[in-house]
Amino acid sequence: MKKYIHPPVSKMLCTLNFKRSDSNAWKSVYIGSIYEGVKEFFPKSEDRIRVDHTFDIARGEVSVKREKETFFLDEPNHISVSISETKLEFSQEIKYSGWKDNLPKIIKVLKDYLEISQQPLLERIDLRYINKIFIPCDTVKRIVQEKDYFNVYINYKTIKKDCNRFEIRISFPYTDGILDVILFPVPSPNNSNENLFILDLCYHIINIQGSNIEQIKEALDSAHANIENVFEKTLTQKTKDLFK
C-alpha cells in the first residue's frame, strides 16, 4: 500500500494474544526489561488505565473493570506498543510508514516479550488495516455510484431509491486464518464535496504452530500480502487514482 503517494491507511494494528499458566505467570518486572531492549525504537514509556465494560443483559447489570496498561511510544511517527499480561499490540496512526519499516519493530518487541516473560503460548494474531477513502460527490444530491469506485457493492437499484447508508461484510478463509472485510460510508457534512468510506481489513491468524520467531514472521508477511491483494482487488482504478 505504500506505493501510493497518498495511501488511505489511517490506522494499522497488529495484536498478538497470549495464554499463560502457573509456569509462566506474568510479573510486572518484565515490563522494564522488555523496554530496555526496545527503547531505541520507542523512546518513551507511560502507564495508562484501560476501562472495560461488561453488560449482563439477563440481570440488567453493568460491570466495570479497570486495568493498567504500559505503552511504549514513538511519538514523531505516531507508533505505540501496549504491553500487558496476555496481549501485545503494535499500532500506527495518521502517518503509515509501510510494512517493511514496521515488521522489524513488531518482531523485535515480540522476541523480547517472549524471551523475558517466560514463553507464553501465542494463541492468535490479528493484523488490521483501517482505510479512509474520500470519494468526490455532488454537494446537493451527495450520491456516489459505488460500483464506479468499489468492486464489491450492494445491488439495491431494483428498489429504485437512493441508499444513504449500507454496510458490506465479507469473510475469506485461508489456510492459517480468516480475512474479514468491512466497507461502509460515514456521514459527511452537507456542504462537503466528498463522501467518506471506511474500508476495514482484518486478518486473523488462528492456526499458529508454536512461538518460533521465523515462522511468526512468515505468517505475518503472508497475512499482509493477503490483505494487500484483497485491498487492491476491492478498489477500482478510479479509486486508486485518488491516491496518486
Side-chain angles (χ1 to χ4, degrees):
M1 288 182 234
K2 195 181 177 182
K3 62 184 178 182
Y4 296 109
I5 297 174
H6 303 290
V9 180
S10 67
K11 189 170 187 176
M12 184 274 271
L13 296 124
C14 182
T15 307
L16 303 107
N17 299 281
F18 304 93
K19 183 178 181 180
R20 293 185 177 275
S21 62
D22 292 340
S23 62
N24 56 19
W26 176 256
K27 298 177 183 178
S28 59
V29 294
Y30 293 155
I31 294 175
S33 299
I34 296 170
Y35 181 64
E36 283 300 311
V38 302
K39 64 182 180 182
E40 65 174 298
F41 294 128
F42 309 99
K44 184 178 178 181
S45 173
E46 67 179 41
D47 291 332
R48 300 176 185 173
I49 300 298
R50 187 180 77 241
V51 180
D52 293 325
H53 297 81
T54 303
F55 298 91
D56 188 328
I57 298 176
R59 297 183 179 182
E61 297 177 352
V62 179
S63 59
V64 179
K65 181 181 179 182
R66 291 177 173 83
E67 187 175 347
K68 186 178 80 171
E69 267 188 319
T70 298
F71 283 76
F72 301 157
L73 305 170
D74 173 8
E75 292 181 324
N77 292 308
H78 307 280
I79 298 173
S80 69
V81 175
S82 65
I83 305 282
S84 64
E85 178 180 355
T86 58
K87 189 178 75 171
L88 183 64
E89 184 169 83
F90 181 97
S91 173
Q92 183 173 35
E93 298 184 70
I94 304 172
K95 178 184 174 184
Y96 179 58
S97 58
W99 182 243
K100 289 183 179 179
D101 181 67
N102 285 325
L103 179 59
K105 297 175 184 177
I106 295 171
I107 294 300
K108 171 58 176 171
V109 178
L110 173 62
K111 186 173 183 292
D112 286 6
Y113 182 93
L114 289 172
E115 290 178 353
I116 292 169
S117 68
Q118 305 298 312
Q119 298 291 334
L121 176 65
L122 180 57
E123 287 192 307
R124 170 172 162 162
I125 304 173
D126 297 322
L127 182 61
R128 183 182 182 191
Y129 280 85
I130 301 173
N131 301 275
K132 290 184 176 181
I133 301 173
F134 293 90
I135 305 292
C137 69
D138 186 303
T139 56
V140 178
K141 293 185 178 180
R142 307 199 51 76
I143 296 172
V144 169
Q145 298 296 332
E146 294 89 14
K147 66 180 181 180
D148 291 342
Y149 295 92
F150 304 103
N151 291 320
V152 291
Y153 54 89
I154 296 175
N155 184 6
Y156 54 83
K157 300 305 180 184
T158 55
I159 302 175
K160 297 182 179 179
K161 290 286 290 183
D162 292 328
C163 179
N164 293 326
R165 169 82 182 186
F166 68 85
E167 184 174 292
I168 296 172
R169 290 175 175 263
I170 312 172
S171 291
F172 298 102
Y174 291 83
T175 304
D176 64 347
I178 296 170
L179 173 56
D180 287 332
V181 180
I182 304 175
L183 174 65
F184 61 92
V186 176
S188 302
N190 290 333
N191 61 349
S192 173
N193 60 357
E194 293 179 314
N195 275 358
L196 170 60
F197 288 80
I198 302 296
L199 177 59
D200 188 336
L201 303 105
C202 187
Y203 196 102
H204 312 283
I205 305 174
I206 52 180
N207 294 327
I208 301 171
Q209 304 298 322
S211 296
N212 180 277
I213 290 295
E214 283 304 312
Q215 289 179 339
I216 294 170
K217 183 177 180 295
E218 289 176 8
L220 281 168
D221 267 330
S222 177
H224 178 265
N226 289 327
I227 288 175
E228 194 168 51
N229 180 53
V230 171
F231 171 85
E232 290 292 326
K233 292 181 178 178
T234 298
L235 307 178
T236 67
Q237 189 58 48
K238 190 171 183 178
T239 305
K240 296 174 188 178
D241 288 343
L242 299 173
F243 310 148
K244 294 181 179 179

